[in-house]
Amino acid sequence: MEPVNSNTEVRLTVAQCFRTLTTCTDSKDVIPALQTLHSYLDEGPESTTTSVQRAEFRRAHYTRTLQFLVSNIQADWLHSLTAAQRTELWDGLFLRGPPEQALLVLMEGIGRLRPSTNLDHLVSVTERYLQCGRLADLLWSYCLMAAPCDSPQLRETLLGRIVVLPDLTANRLHLNNKPLFLPQQYYPLLAREMLTVLERTCQALKDGTDCSVTFVAQTLGKVCVHGHSDLVLAVIAPRLSACTRSDMVWRRVCWKLLENVPQRWMESVLTGLVQAVTGFDALGQIIGNLVLTNKQAQFVITHKLLLLQYKYETRILRIVLGYLAADRERRPLLIQVLRSVLQAWANPSAVKHTPLEQQLYVSKALLLSVNLLNDSELQELRSELLQCMLGGMQSHLDSSVVRIRHMGMVVGECLSSRMNIGETKLKFEYDQNEETQELLSLMTPATGDEPEPVNGLDSPQETREVTPSAVSSQNMPGPQPSKTDPDSDLDSDDELTPYDMSGDQEMSKASPPRYLRDCLENLISSDDPVRVELSLRAAESLVRKNAFVAKEISVQLTKVLLHMEDKYHINGFLTLRHATMVALTVIHCIPVTQYLTTEFYSLNYSLRQRLDILEVLALAAQELSKPITEKREPVTSTDGSTAVTPYPIDSPVHWRQVVEKRIQSKTKRLSKCTTQPPATATPNRYAPVAGHFFFPLLRNYDRPQVTFDLLGSDHLVLGRLIHTLGLLMNLAVNAPIATQMGRALLDFVWAVRYHVDQVVRRGVLFAVCSVFLSMPGQNLLLDLSDHLFETRAWLEDVAEGDPDADCRSLAIQSLVLLDKSLKKQLQEPQALSLKS
């Protein structure tokens, strides 16, 4: 009967204290009541209550007591207490009892009170609650399993209050929020409290006391899934790495901590931990063989971080793959990962439909995985590697994107070098850049926790030591002879400054041609490299200076240049050749354009020649669309009387000019804008001939030739053709034929809008942008009204789901242009009706 009597006595005492605090206003009666409530929280030998009474108070009456205090926070008796009495008696009740109940009551009170001094008082108590380590006491109570047998709903509520405390306080306090409640301070504080609890757990296990880290694991998981893993794990991971390096008890606690993280939160914890640790050794010490026992962890480590997500740095790949290769039991997973990554890299569909950044990420993972294999594993996987390498290289080399081709070349070189296929190794020619150098550097092994060298340099100290000597060696190639050295061979006469001959050029035996027909003859029949080069360099200027002669031989010279090969390795060969053909097209537009557009679909032309035709047409159209800026020489008359202005003193214009100059020279201005004469209107030379550039290129695109299949395998030429058509359309703005060109271009690109090659899709979107920019708004509504809604839906799909970033950007630009044009046209009739 003693427990029953104790429970009744505690309940009656607490009720009497509540009655006293409700009815009395004198501090002489209030203070004893508060001290009585405090007595149930005293644990020392001088406590006036028994352990049974204290346990009953904590179980059944502590939350009621705190809720009573919060509901009476505006009472007169509280304000009659001194600051010291309020801190000790009123605030102390929140800081000495069960921490989980105090936190729930405090957060409930902050959410219920209106902005006032009472709310500020409760916020300050909450701040002291966090500062004095009550969060650690809360977590530790659950580790000792000394907390009451709460329900899952109560535990979930408590986890929510702990994790989202910054959000709750920010939503309630707004600009009056405390710095401690901000995420940048609160979550590192929570991380330090968790570390304190883990240290207590390790010490308790060493002392033979059983503990549970389930609640700490749940807290860690919920914090990470809410997006604060970087703040929390930046504090926890270094400490765990240091403690688990030599202490087995710490390792067991960390392994148990990760095992108890709920499955739905495992991904957030692991991804944050992988980014927070310094190397794969530290990761292995913290999580152990979790990847073998937990399916969710295995999926995240072996699949999601390597094949589904590609936003991480190369360091993360080294950590993940190094972790799998560091232990004998985990190495089978490394083989499994290698097979998956190899299949993803060699998949032709993946090369066409996945973003370029993801392909680069998978290539890095492949090279790192192969580099971690030992000789026996490499020999076992040799046939699979060889088969996938050949197929993957073919898929990458067939791509029209230069970066993807370079990627395939580098990976092929590294794989063949690693497998030692014969004595001869694959070697490709490609431009060395940061991307290719990074891929090549992945074949060098990295240690567990050592930082990787940056750009091939060692530590900053070594860099600082090497740089001055290197600079001095570059600036001073050899010892300089002193003028006062008696052994010097220099005489005083030799101190004269030598003549600078660096700009001299070697005299050529041949002279450049001065006539265009001689230039043509040299290009056709001459076998002298010097004469051919001089003729090619002089061709453009001769064409532009002698327009009459150029028109007579324009088609013949264009044919010669189109079929000309760089047999003598002339510097700037392609540029000189293109410039001359552009000049011929500008001078004699229609015949040359007809020849080039006809030859584009002819037989026995290489892809390079067809690309040259498109480039020449685009450059010529750009030049024709620009205004003519000719500098005319001033006309000088032979009659001296007309060259002089009569009566210069009496001329009013002369007088005004002199005065204006004097005013300008004496006036000080803060800003001065230069007055330019208005631009002279010139005719657009491209508009009348735009159809000759544009429509012949749409003539035979669907007829595959023996050496040319535009809608088949020649994706690069198709993408360049569509881009050229879009450029020709853009240059035809305000031209009468622009509407007809826009309608024809949309009909053409509509059939290939879902092309597998991203270069073709980029060209299609560029062409659509050009149509929206060049066609008048009223023509869009009148002539393309049937296609606008379908075009808009297609652009929205591309903007949301296309794997290529450039395609998504172009689709968004096209949508903006379309909406802007339609909105303008729909508003104009309303404006006209209002004016009428």
Side-chain angles (χ1 to χ4, degrees), residues 275 324 450 709:
Q275 297 177 75
L324 296 177
E450 293 180 0
D709 187 6

Side-chain angles (χ1 to χ4, degrees), residues 691-745:
H692 296 280
F693 282 82
F694 186 84
F695 291 106
L697 293 177
L698 296 174
R699 185 168 45 201
N700 297 319
Y701 67 88
D702 56 347
R703 298 180 183 178
Q705 305 292 342
V706 177
T707 59
F708 183 47
D709 187 6
L710 197 61
L711 298 181
S713 58
D714 297 323
H715 301 164
L716 179 61
V717 183
L718 177 61
R720 188 70 63 85
L721 171 62
I722 297 175
H723 191 276
T724 303
L725 291 172
L727 180 61
L728 297 176
M729 179 72 213
N730 190 24
L731 296 175
V733 60
N734 298 325
I737 204 173
T739 301
Q740 186 179 354
M741 292 172 61
R743 186 164 52 246
L745 183 57

Side-chain angles (χ1 to χ4, degrees), residues 167-187:
D167 298 331
L168 295 175
T169 55
N171 292 335
R172 188 60 180 164
L173 302 177
H174 302 292
L175 297 178
N176 297 322
N177 200 8
K178 296 290 185 179
L180 185 60
F181 299 154
L182 298 178
Q184 292 77 9
Q185 294 192 25
Y186 174 76
Y187 291 109

Side-chain angles (χ1 to χ4, degrees), residues 69-112:
L69 294 177
V70 173
S71 61
N72 291 273
I73 194 172
Q74 77 281 358
D76 294 336
W77 59 263
L78 178 58
H79 296 283
S80 65
L81 298 177
T82 63
Q85 292 173 341
R86 189 185 304 117
T87 301
E88 179 183 357
L89 299 177
W90 200 92
D91 300 355
L93 286 172
F94 289 90
L95 304 177
R96 296 179 57 189
E100 70 280 355
Q101 300 181 42
L103 180 64
L104 292 176
V105 173
L106 287 171
M107 298 311 299
E108 180 185 2
I110 292 176
R112 189 175 70 246

Side-chain angles (χ1 to χ4, degrees), residues 299-424:
F299 172 75
V300 172
I301 294 293
T302 63
H303 189 77
K304 196 157 191 176
L305 288 177
L306 301 176
L307 295 175
L308 299 183
Q309 297 178 346
Y310 52 93
K311 61 182 179 181
Y312 302 108
E313 301 174 351
T314 307
R315 182 182 66 87
I316 304 303
L317 288 174
R318 288 188 182 273
I319 291 174
V320 171
L321 296 172
Y323 162 74
L324 296 177
D327 188 81
R328 180 174 54 84
E329 297 180 359
R330 299 193 294 262
R331 288 196 72 87
L333 291 179
L334 177 65
I335 306 299
Q336 174 185 334
V337 164
L338 175 60
R339 288 193 172 101
S340 301
V341 172
L342 192 60
Q343 292 176 2
W345 182 81
N347 189 355
S349 179
V351 174
K352 295 178 180 178
H353 297 97
T354 56
L356 193 146
E357 294 79 10
Q358 186 173 7
Q359 298 182 42
L360 179 62
Y361 190 80
V362 172
S363 300
K364 293 178 182 179
L366 175 59
L367 294 180
L368 289 172
S369 302
V370 172
N371 192 38
L372 291 172
L373 297 178
N374 54 39
D375 294 338
S376 60
E377 294 168 339
L378 194 62
Q379 190 65 27
E380 180 183 354
L381 298 172
R382 185 185 180 89
S383 60
E384 295 182 41
L385 285 172
L386 181 59
Q387 181 179 0
C388 290
M389 181 191 76
L390 296 177
M393 285 177 56
Q394 183 65 36
S395 301
H396 283 75
L397 294 178
D398 287 343
S399 175
S400 57
V401 182
V402 178
R403 290 178 61 189
I404 294 180
R405 294 200 298 271
H406 288 175
M407 208 180 301
M409 295 176 188
V410 175
V411 174
E413 286 183 1
C414 295
L415 291 181
S416 65
S417 175
R418 185 71 177 87
M419 290 187 295
N420 295 325
I421 303 176
E423 296 182 357
T424 60

Side-chain angles (χ1 to χ4, degrees), residues 794-802 807-812 815:
W794 163 66
L795 290 174
E796 290 176 350
D797 293 340
V798 174
E800 293 179 359
D802 197 282
C807 291
R808 295 194 299 270
S809 176
L810 287 171
I812 294 174
L815 285 172

Side-chain angles (χ1 to χ4, degrees), residues 632-643:
R632 299 182 180 180
E633 296 294 331
V635 179
T636 59
S637 175
T638 57
D639 186 3
S641 61
T642 59

Side-chain angles (χ1 to χ4, degrees), residues 406 409-410 413 427-433 436-437 440:
H406 288 175
M409 295 176 188
V410 175
E413 286 183 1
K427 187 63 179 177
F428 297 95
E429 293 184 2
Y430 49 84
D431 297 333
Q432 292 286 343
N433 51 33
T436 57
Q437 290 177 359
L440 292 171

